Amino acid sequence: MYGWIWRKLPGPLGVRITLATVLALGVIALLLFVVFPWLEPKLWFNNVTTEQ
Amino acid sequence: MGTHEGDYDSGRLYGDLQDGPPQAGDRARNVVRNLGELLITAGMIVLLFVVYELYITDLFSAGKQREATAALDDEWQHQPGADVVEGGERTNKIELEDGKGFAKLYIPKFGADFHFTVLEGTSDKTLESGPGHYKGTALPGEHGNFAIAGHRVGKGAPFNDLDLLKSCDAVVIETSTSWFTYRMLPVESEARRWESVKTKSPRCERVNKLGAEYNKVYGRDIVAPSQGGVISPVPYATPGTKPGVALLTLTTCHPKFSDEQRLIVHLVLTDQEAKNPAAPNQLPAALSEND
C-alpha cells in the first residue's frame, strides 16, 4: 500500500519526501479535526452526568 | 515498502523482487504485506485517538473555556445586578442561558490557578467548554442542590482529581455579586463520629451534621449512572422532600477512563459574602487554603 503510494508520487526524492510528509500530516489533521470530533460523542466512555 | 534505492524508477514492483516473471509466492507476499501495513496503520490511528482524547481535546476545551470566561467577565463588568440570597431564597434570579457561563468555580486545594467558568446545561457540547450546571437544580446559595457535572479525563478535565478532596475541603463559587463557600461533607467512615472528627480542623467548624432527611448523604459517593437521586434537592430522599440546606454536588465519571460509575462529591454551604464593589480584591478566606 505505502509502496504503491510512494511509486505514484512524482518528482525526485526531495519532492517525494515533501509530498509524503504533506500527505501524512493531511491525514493526521483530517483525523484530529474532522473524524475524531465526529466519532467521539458516539463512544461510550465519556459520560459524566447521572440520569435526571 | 520498497527499500532498495534506484528500483523505484525502473518500474519494478518491489526492491526485493528478483528479475523474471511474477511467481505465485509474490502474490501471497503482496497480500500479507498489505495486510500488515493496514494493521500497523490501524494501530497508529488508535494511538492517535488516545493522544486526541487525552491532550488535543484539552487544547480545544481550553479555548472554549477561555471564551466562556471572557464572555462572563464582560457581562459582570457591564451589568452588576443585585444577586441577593437570604434564608436560602434568591430574591433575584441569575440569567441562565443554555451553554453560557454564569458562575465561576474555584477549588483552592487544586491550586490558586484552578478556576473554571460553570455553564448552564450538561449537554456534551456544553461540557466541552467547562463544568455544566444540571438544569433545574438549585442556583448558587439557594436551598436545594446546586449540581454540576464535569469531565474527568480530557476536555480540560476539570474534575480529574475530584477523588482527592477530603471532608471540609472548600469549593468556592463566584457569582456576579457574591462568593459562596461550600465545604465537603464527612465521608461515610467519618460520619458516625463526626462530632469528634470535626474538631481536628478549624475548617470543619461550620460543617455540621445535617438533618435526618440527609442521612444517606456523605461527602464522597460512588454510584451507578442511573442514580439520578444524587442531584435531587435532598439527595436520595423521596421526591418532594423539602431541602433544609444549600448543597453543592459535583459529578464526574469513575473510575478514570471509564463510564461504569459516577463519582459524586457533596458539599454544604458554610459561608457567603456579598462582593464589595469598592474592594474587588477582597476574596473569601477559603480561597487561600491550598493544601
Side-chain angles (χ1 to χ4, degrees):
Chain A
M1 179 173 68
Y2 292 113
W4 179 82
I5 294 173
W6 181 256
R7 268 174 278 109
K8 286 283 166 196
L9 293 174
L13 188 63
V15 175
R16 286 187 181 195
I17 290 178
T18 314
L19 281 177
T21 312
V22 169
L23 268 182
L25 289 179
V27 170
I28 289 175
L30 187 74
L31 285 171
L32 287 185
F33 297 106
V34 181
V35 179
F36 290 164
W38 164 84
L39 175 75
E40 192 189 24
K42 300 181 170 26
L43 298 175
W44 61 95
F45 48 75
N46 256 314
N47 300 321
V48 293
T49 57
T50 60
E51 281 161 30
Q52 273 177 289
Chain B
M1 272 169 264
T3 50
H4 294 208
E5 256 198 83
D7 278 343
Y8 307 123
D9 299 318
S10 63
R12 291 239 188 93
L13 262 181
Y14 290 104
D16 52 352
L17 290 185
Q18 300 301 314
D19 286 332
Q23 310 278 307
D26 293 344
R27 213 187 148 73
R29 196 176 308 173
N30 226 334
V31 169
V32 171
R33 191 197 320 266
N34 277 319
L35 192 68
E37 287 179 355
L38 273 178
L39 288 176
I40 291 172
T41 308
M44 301 285 277
I45 291 178
V46 170
L47 279 180
L48 189 66
F49 184 67
V50 172
V51 172
Y52 169 82
E53 277 289 293
L54 295 186
Y55 303 106
I56 311 290
T57 57
D58 278 351
L59 295 181
F60 291 159
S61 291
K64 290 178 186 167
Q65 168 71 207
R66 257 198 311 276
E67 277 169 34
T69 306
L72 186 62
D73 284 339
D74 191 57
E75 194 178 313
W76 283 359
Q77 220 156 40
H78 289 101
Q79 32 173 269
D83 173 35
V84 187
V85 183
E86 269 164 23
E89 294 291 331
R90 181 174 292 275
T91 53
N92 157 286
K93 285 278 177 208
I94 295 179
E95 289 289 322
L96 293 179
E97 199 181 308
D98 221 3
K100 237 179 106 217
F102 66 94
K104 289 187 195 175
L105 174 144
Y106 302 77
I107 304 185
K109 178 164 187 153
F110 297 160
D113 57 349
F114 186 100
H115 52 83
F116 281 90
T117 292
V118 182
L119 303 101
E120 172 67 357
T122 50
S123 68
D124 288 347
K125 199 168 166 295
T126 302
L127 291 178
E128 274 175 25
S129 308
H133 169 231
Y134 285 89
K135 282 186 195 170
T137 64
L139 286 169
E142 274 181 351
H143 277 190
N145 194 354
F146 177 42
I148 302 175
H151 279 291
R152 187 129 186 233
V153 172
K155 310 212 180 53
F159 292 168
N160 185 44
D161 294 327
L162 213 53
D163 54 330
L164 300 182
L165 281 185
K166 296 205 170 69
S167 50
C168 304
D169 280 342
V171 173
V172 178
I173 303 286
E174 179 187 11
T175 62
S176 57
T177 58
S178 296
W179 292 96
F180 299 96
T181 302
Y182 291 85
R183 291 189 183 275
M184 188 169 144
L185 288 166
V187 296
E188 192 165 5
S189 60
E190 299 167 329
R192 201 166 297 160
R193 40 194 186 88
W194 184 239
E195 290 311 318
S196 63
V197 175
K198 71 177 277 188
T199 55
K200 286 184 187 144
S201 169
R203 293 176 192 176
C204 296
E205 192 191 335
R206 304 179 70 173
V207 181
N208 295 313
K209 245 194 152 125
L210 303 176
E213 68 270 36
Y214 288 94
N215 64 356
K216 288 186 202 136
V217 186
Y218 301 111
R220 188 184 312 119
D221 217 339
I222 288 162
V223 303
S226 55
Q227 267 272 24
V230 297
I231 59 165
S232 309
V234 178
Y236 318 108
T238 45
T241 311
K242 215 169 153 36
V245 293
L247 291 186
L248 167 65
T249 296
L250 309 176
T251 78
T252 193
C253 57
H254 185 87
K256 273 183 196 176
F257 307 104
S258 161
D259 86 327
E260 202 90 324
Q261 294 169 310
R262 295 290 177 271
L263 173 66
I264 312 293
V265 172
H266 292 296
L267 308 95
V268 65
L269 183 70
T270 55
D271 292 282
Q272 69 177 73
E273 50 195 276
K275 280 190 193 169
N276 182 356
N281 294 324
Q282 198 179 317
L283 304 175
L287 271 185
S288 45
E289 298 171 357
N290 53 5
D291 55 329

